[in-house]
Amino acid sequence: MTIRTILVDDEKLAIQGLQLRLEPFEDVEIIETCQNGREAIRAIKTLKPDLVFLDIQMPGFDGFSVVQGVMEIEPPLFVFVTAFQEHAIRAFEANAVNYLMKPVDEDKLADTIERVRIRLAEKKSSEEAEKLKSVLSEVAPEAVEELAGDEAEAASRFERLINIKDRGQIFRVEVDTIEHIEAAGDYMCIYTGDNSLILRETMKDLERRLDPRKFQRVHRSTIVNLDQVRQVKPHTNGECFLVLDSGAEVKVSRSYRDVVARFVH
């Protein structure tokens, strides 16, 4: 699949440098370059790219204004490229695939392109599934009902209550109230915002019992309930912190950054 791409930066040298760094990626096709926000909005609406590398600080319309300016169409994926770290939080809030600092590091760029490939593949799969459902609803409505039933059955496979024996007592914990889980060897620390309990079980086994649409690993030893996340706070080296309903902060390691991109919209 070709990734149709637009580059936006008010500095010609920055665009040229990014073009050179993108050359090794054979599936990336640069279809347009723009040097200000107004040009970018017109190009995005006209050409409908898959991906836009977008500078944040530009005269007139800045990068965030560009994102806002194309919201009435189905927007492309955005990667912000900037020299200013303080814009990171707004980049996450704008659902950027990634946030690259100038000068762009080649390894981080490669990681970003891989994330873009994954996001586009997921989007295509979702669109194909919706098209199939639409066709089925016309020619075989009973099949759509059966499919909906299968989805409900799949959701029911996951736990709604977990029994935890802790300090000589058995606690019945509603899964939806779990805020985050931290591993300590073969023990799990279950946090519910106002309480913490110890469960003797491995991280791998516990993950199988939880609905992955809600519970995602954000660190080698941490699972978070995504419904409990209220804020993203960028940190150094591509890491960030999730601020939960209780005020607790959980670190997202760099290797799990895609989790943030999935649910911050």
Side-chain angles (χ1 to χ4, degrees):
M1 180 178 65
T2 300
I3 304 172
R4 301 172 66 255
T5 304
I6 290 177
L7 310 183
V8 184
D9 199 304
D10 62 324
E11 299 177 0
K12 279 189 176 181
L13 286 177
I15 288 179
Q16 291 169 0
L18 190 52
Q19 284 177 313
L20 287 172
R21 286 174 171 79
L22 287 169
E23 281 182 359
F25 303 98
E26 295 181 357
D27 53 346
V28 176
E29 178 190 358
I30 299 172
I31 59 173
E32 184 65 280
T33 62
C34 305
Q35 287 189 257
N36 62 63
R38 291 185 185 277
E39 285 182 9
I41 291 172
R42 283 197 297 269
I44 292 168
K45 288 183 175 181
T46 303
L47 301 175
K48 296 180 173 55
D50 302 304
L51 173 65
V52 176
F53 283 88
L54 184 59
D55 187 23
I56 291 180
Q57 287 207 329
M58 297 181 291
F61 281 21
D62 65 9
F64 296 115
S65 298
V66 172
V67 175
Q68 189 64 36
V70 297
M71 282 299 105
E72 72 264 23
I73 65 169
E74 184 177 350
L77 299 178
F78 288 100
V79 174
F80 288 108
V81 185
T82 183
F84 301 95
Q85 179 70 33
E86 64 267 22
H87 295 300
I89 293 176
R90 289 188 66 193
F92 277 116
E93 291 173 345
N95 196 27
V97 175
N98 209 350
Y99 181 92
L100 300 176
M101 297 294 296
K102 295 179 180 180
V104 175
D105 178 82
E106 291 183 1
D107 289 339
K108 289 182 179 179
L109 181 59
D111 175 64
T112 297
I113 295 300
E114 184 58 29
R115 293 184 194 190
V116 168
R117 291 173 181 140
I118 292 170
R119 293 276 290 274
L120 289 175
E122 289 175 347
K123 179 182 177 183
K124 185 175 181 181
S125 297
S126 176
E127 288 175 348
E128 291 300 322
E130 288 303 316
K131 286 179 183 176
L132 177 60
K133 285 183 182 180
S134 177
V135 172
L136 284 174
S137 66
E138 294 180 6
V139 300
E142 68 282 356
V144 175
E145 292 177 7
E146 185 177 339
L147 182 61
D150 289 343
E151 290 175 350
E153 183 180 344
S156 69
R157 291 201 306 265
F158 301 108
E159 302 281 1
R160 294 184 180 179
L161 285 169
I162 293 180
N163 294 329
I164 302 175
K165 187 176 181 180
D166 187 358
R167 299 183 290 272
Q169 302 180 61
I170 296 178
F171 297 86
R172 289 174 61 76
V173 177
E174 290 186 18
V175 168
D176 287 345
T177 67
I178 296 174
E179 191 177 67
H180 70 288
I181 301 164
E182 293 182 0
D186 288 340
Y187 292 88
M188 298 292 110
C189 298
I190 313 290
Y191 295 90
T192 60
D194 58 354
N195 197 11
S196 62
L197 299 166
I198 304 298
L199 173 67
R200 185 179 175 86
E201 190 166 349
T202 64
M203 176 79 84
K204 188 174 181 180
D205 288 338
L206 186 56
E207 273 189 302
R208 292 195 190 104
R209 300 170 63 188
L210 299 173
D211 189 342
R213 293 171 298 181
K214 284 189 176 183
F215 290 88
Q216 286 282 328
R217 199 185 291 208
V218 297
H219 191 277
R220 183 171 53 87
S221 59
T222 308
I223 296 173
V224 165
N225 181 347
L226 301 183
D227 288 344
Q228 300 268 356
V229 176
R230 289 296 167 262
Q231 185 184 354
V232 179
K233 293 172 62 176
H235 191 50
T236 57
N237 301 322
E239 297 177 332
C240 65
F241 285 93
L242 303 180
V243 182
L244 308 180
D245 273 346
S246 68
E249 295 188 6
V250 176
K251 180 185 281 189
V252 180
S253 65
R254 192 174 167 190
S255 55
Y256 290 96
R257 279 274 302 278
D258 279 347
V259 174
V260 177
R262 265 182 232 139
F263 74 87
V264 178
H265 296 285

